[in-house]
Structure formats: structure tokens, C-alpha cells
Amino acid sequence: MTILVTGGAGFIGGNFVLDWVGCSDEVVINLDKLTYAGNLESLASLDGNPQHIFVQGDIADAELVRHLLAEHQPRAVINFAAESHVDRSIHGPEEFIQTNIVGTFRLLEEVRSYWKALPDQARADFRFLHVSTDEVYGSLATDAPAFTEEHRYEPNSPYSASKAASDHLVRSYHHTYGLPVLTTNCSNNYGPYHFPEKLIPLLIVNALAGKQLPVYGDGQQIRDWLYVKDHCSAIRRVLEAGKLGEVYNVGGWNEKPNLDIVHHVCALLDELQPKADASSYRDLITFVTDRPGHDRRYAIDARKLERELGWKPAETFESGIRKTVQWYLDNQQWVNNVQSGDYRNWVTQNYGERSA
Ligand code: NAD
Ligand code: TYD
């Protein structure tokens, strides 16, 4: 059996592929365009492993997707591929429209043709799982209950608007064509292999380099944090037992103001990698201009997933963030290669002959 994962060289997709190979004997076809966010060095431990087949390419390339589906006959497609950084979407939204909307549409079209032509049993068993975000629901008032699956879509950034559009397309392919889809909407992830321009890895990397720790606005914006491996286990569970056409919110009930996250990371670094002069990394905290249109609060109500599919996160925020900080301390070469840009040569050095 085979699954096709898109965006599997990114942060969450990469963790998902590593975990999948660790807990299943199914082959993973990994289709990834290798944008700035794609890093095959994160998958270096799979080098030479026949269970992982990497293909460099775009989900919007209909011909390539058609060819991959026909050749590998996957029983499921899991769509992680996306432009994912809110700040980048503010500076240049076009790529977000292209990948998140047009790309998802082209992928859906090819998957629909492939699925329709499958023999009866394979058609009944097939799944298209779309990985999405809590940001599609917009910003919550301080005292409002957490987002349930019924919460109105109210995306506020070009990123979340493009993800919302892709969620709607996925939904429509179920209602109109009967495509067996599942959608997950997850809160902010953190953990190993996170590109160091997102908050938590940026804090660790900047602190270790003695650089400023930029806090947008007053630092009181709230995000709901989930360790990436717990997101991956939720996706596996939804793939295995989710009801067709349904949406599952994924979260770990870990709402925290950004400034608390910054203090927590600094305290862990003070403990695990104390500065020579015994001063605290907190001294590097710098308040900077706020992000335009900055959502104030996200919070996920994950009770449906817990109740109906029996999923629970394995990590608390305290255990997950400790593992994450330790991972960055133990993997400084990975960080150095991201910062120097050397990670982009990984494909030619190590995977060139296996790319499409
Ligand atoms: P990421 O930016 O780290 O990785 C995205 C991957 O997709 C990269 O490897 C990139 O090369 C690839 N990609 C981009 N455009 C592509 C295209 N056109 N064709 C093929 N591959 C392409 O993102 P991530 O944080 O791993 O997020 C993965 C998914 O999870 C996204 O859909 C995102 O919206 C969603 N999500 C992320 C979070 C989070 O906190 N990071 C939370 C909830 C949901
Ligand atoms: P980010 O990691 O970009 O995720 P998202 O915008 O998808 O939630 O940012 C998390 C929060 O941290 C968000 O409220 C913006 C804030 N932030 C900072 O305060 N400073 C930073 O340097 C970054 C990157 C983010």
C-alpha cells in the first residue's frame, strides 16, 4: 500500500513522513516543490530508504500529479503543501493564491479523475485528507469560547483567506462529486524542523546568536500551541477513522499569550544553555511594530476529535517545548544550513538523481 503526501519536506509534512515511516510499512510518495520552506535535510534519516520516494514538483502541475497517481496508485492523498507564513502573505500574497487555491484545485481535479476510475473496493477505501488551520476562523474575543467545527469562517490575512478558499474547494468536491475527503483544522504547531522565521524557532535561534527577540505589538496576542508530533498522530487517526466529508479541529488546549511563550523559551535556554555572564536571554526581548491586521486570539475546541475518534495529545506544553528547545540545541548544524542557505543544495547533493 502507498500514500501520497504533498508538502512532505516542510515542517509538519516532514515530521509526518518521518513518523509514518517509523510506524507503518506503507510507502510514502512525497511530492514537494521545495520552496524556501522545503528542506530535504530534515528527511536525511530516510536517505536510501525504499519506503520514501521523493519527487520534486508542484501540486498545481496537473500532468505530474496525474502521472504520480497512475504510477503509484495511492490509497490516500494527504495535502500539506501550502504557503504557510502569515508575514510572507502580507508582503506577497500572490504565491498563496497560486499554491493554496489554484494548487489545491488542480490537485483535487486530478485526484477526482483518479478516484472515479478506481475499482469499487479501492474507490470505497480511498481518502483525500486536507490539512488546514484554525486561522480560517478569524480572531476570537478574549472571553469567547474556543473554535468548534461549526464556527463561521472569517479569515483575516491573505494566508488564512487562501486556506479558507482551499477548505471550501475540498468541501465542495465532497458535496458535488462525492470525493471521500476529510479536513483537519489545527492550531499553531511547534517542534523539530520548524523553519526559523516562525515565532518559537526564531526565538531559540536568535537567542543563541545573541540577537533581539522581536515581540509584535504588546505581545498579548494569544495562540493555542500543539506539539507537531501530536498533530501528526491526529492526522493519522482522522485518516484511519474520520467520517467522510467531516471536519476535525485539532488542538491541545494550550492557549498562551506570545509574551509568555517568549519568557518560557528564555527560561529554558537560561537553564539548558546558560550565558557565560549568567545574564538572562530575557534581556534580548524587544517590542517591535505590530503585524498589520494581527489576529488577537486563536483557540481550538478539540472535543469532537477526542470524543469521536479517541485522540489525545501525548505532550503537555511544558514537555513539548522542552523537547523542542533541546532539539534546536542538539541540531545546530540543521539551523546553520538553513541560515546559510546550504539546505537548498541538499536536493542536488543527495536527491538529484531521484527527483522527477
Ligand atoms: P511549511 O511552510 O513548513 O511547509 C510547506 C511545504 O509545502 C514546503 O515543503 C514547501 O516546499 C511545500 N510546497 C509549497 N508550495 C508547494 C507546491 N505548490 N507544490 C508542492 N509543494 C509545495 O508549512 P507547515 O508549517 O509544515 O504547514 C503544513 C500545512 O499545515 C499547511 O497546509 C499549513 O497551512 C497547515 N498548518 C500549519 C500550522 C503551523 O502551525 N505550521 C498549523 C495548522 C495548519
Ligand atoms: P507565527 O509563528 O508567525 O505564527 P502565526 O502567525 O501563524 O500564528 O507567529 C505566532 C505569533 O507570534 C503571532 O501572534 C505573531 C507573533 N510573532 C512575534 O511576536 N514575533 C515574531 O518575530 C514572529 C515571527 C511572530
Side-chain angles (χ1 to χ4, degrees):
M1 298 284 247
T2 300
I3 61 166
L4 171 65
V5 164
T6 72
F11 165 48
I12 306 173
N15 276 286
F16 181 85
V17 168
L18 289 170
D19 290 357
W20 186 269
V21 170
C23 69
S24 153
D25 51 14
E26 283 181 288
V27 170
V28 184
I29 315 299
N30 182 355
L31 171 63
D32 194 297
K33 187 176 171 183
L34 295 182
T35 67
Y36 79 93
N39 186 348
L40 282 177
E41 199 173 338
S42 307
L43 300 171
S45 63
L46 301 181
D47 201 12
N49 186 330
Q51 225 186 311
H52 176 235
I53 299 174
F54 179 74
V55 180
Q56 184 173 2
D58 194 328
I59 56 167
D61 182 345
E63 206 178 313
L64 172 62
V65 172
R66 193 176 315 140
H67 163 79
L68 288 176
L69 292 169
E71 184 184 350
H72 297 288
Q73 300 279 307
R75 70 166 179 95
V77 172
I78 301 151
N79 185 30
F80 292 94
E83 288 292 335
S84 72
H85 190 181
V86 175
D87 291 331
R88 283 186 186 245
S89 85
I90 294 167
H91 293 113
E94 181 121 17
E95 276 303 306
F96 289 73
I97 306 305
Q98 182 55 35
T99 284
N100 300 358
I101 306 179
V102 179
T104 302
F105 160 69
R106 296 253 168 81
L107 181 66
L108 280 166
E109 272 294 272
E110 290 311 315
V111 168
R112 177 166 78 91
S113 307
Y114 163 74
W115 164 76
K116 248 182 19 193
L118 285 172
D120 286 351
Q121 192 56 53
R123 195 163 67 246
D125 293 343
F126 183 80
R127 299 288 181 270
F128 180 92
L129 192 151
H130 180 62
V131 180
S132 193
T133 166
D134 60 357
E135 303 194 24
V136 296
Y137 299 123
S139 190
L140 274 175
T142 321
D143 52 354
F147 301 125
T148 66
E149 290 77 2
E150 279 71 47
H151 199 94
R152 187 161 82 134
Y153 270 39
E154 230 168 4
N156 289 321
S157 72
Y159 163 64
S160 55
S162 65
K163 288 298 290 186
S166 68
D167 293 8
H168 291 323
L169 281 170
V170 170
R171 174 189 163 88
S172 76
Y173 271 63
H174 178 68
H175 282 265
T176 305
Y177 305 112
L179 190 72
V181 308
L182 298 156
T183 299
T184 53
N185 291 83
C186 188
S187 58
N188 283 61
N189 284 212
Y190 65 97
Y193 305 112
H194 205 178
F195 196 77
E197 65 179 18
K198 300 279 182 95
L199 179 66
I200 288 180
L202 181 95
L203 293 172
I204 302 169
V205 167
N206 275 17
L208 292 175
K211 292 186 184 160
Q212 290 182 349
L213 307 179
V215 176
Y216 297 167
D218 62 2
Q220 292 308 313
Q221 305 84 1
I222 292 172
R223 296 293 181 266
D224 189 353
W225 294 94
L226 184 69
Y227 190 63
V228 63
K229 303 282 181 193
D230 283 326
H231 187 189
C232 295
S233 76
I235 291 170
R236 290 196 302 274
R237 185 67 193 133
V238 172
L239 184 65
E240 184 180 38
K243 265 173 67 184
L244 296 186
E246 299 259 328
V247 172
Y248 295 90
N249 281 356
V250 186
W253 306 98
N254 281 310
E255 278 187 67
K256 307 227 178 273
N258 291 340
L259 200 54
D260 285 16
I261 298 287
V262 180
H263 282 289
H264 203 114
V265 168
C266 288
L268 279 169
L269 285 170
D270 286 341
E271 175 197 330
L272 298 170
Q273 185 102 329
K275 288 213 268 180
D277 64 1
S279 66
S280 171
Y281 289 98
R282 285 194 176 114
D283 299 346
L284 298 168
I285 294 174
T286 310
F287 289 89
V288 299
T289 309
D290 207 352
R291 170 188 281 173
H294 200 169
D295 283 339
R296 199 67 186 163
R297 176 177 167 232
Y298 304 139
I300 275 282
D301 182 334
R303 276 178 296 185
K304 176 178 175 185
L305 179 58
E306 294 165 0
R307 189 179 60 243
E308 295 185 11
L309 303 185
W311 172 85
K312 270 217 237 20
E315 302 292 343
T316 62
F317 181 74
E318 284 64 30
S319 65
I321 193 70
R322 182 173 281 276
K323 281 186 182 176
T324 303
V325 171
Q326 191 62 58
W327 187 88
Y328 278 87
L329 291 172
D330 294 343
N331 289 275
Q332 302 226 4
Q333 192 56 47
W334 182 91
V335 173
N336 293 344
N337 288 348
V338 170
Q339 287 181 318
S340 70
D342 277 357
Y343 75 107
R344 308 218 61 175
N345 302 326
W346 193 263
V347 61
T348 38
Q349 283 165 7
N350 296 276
Y351 282 82
E353 72 283 2
R354 267 188 277 141
S355 300

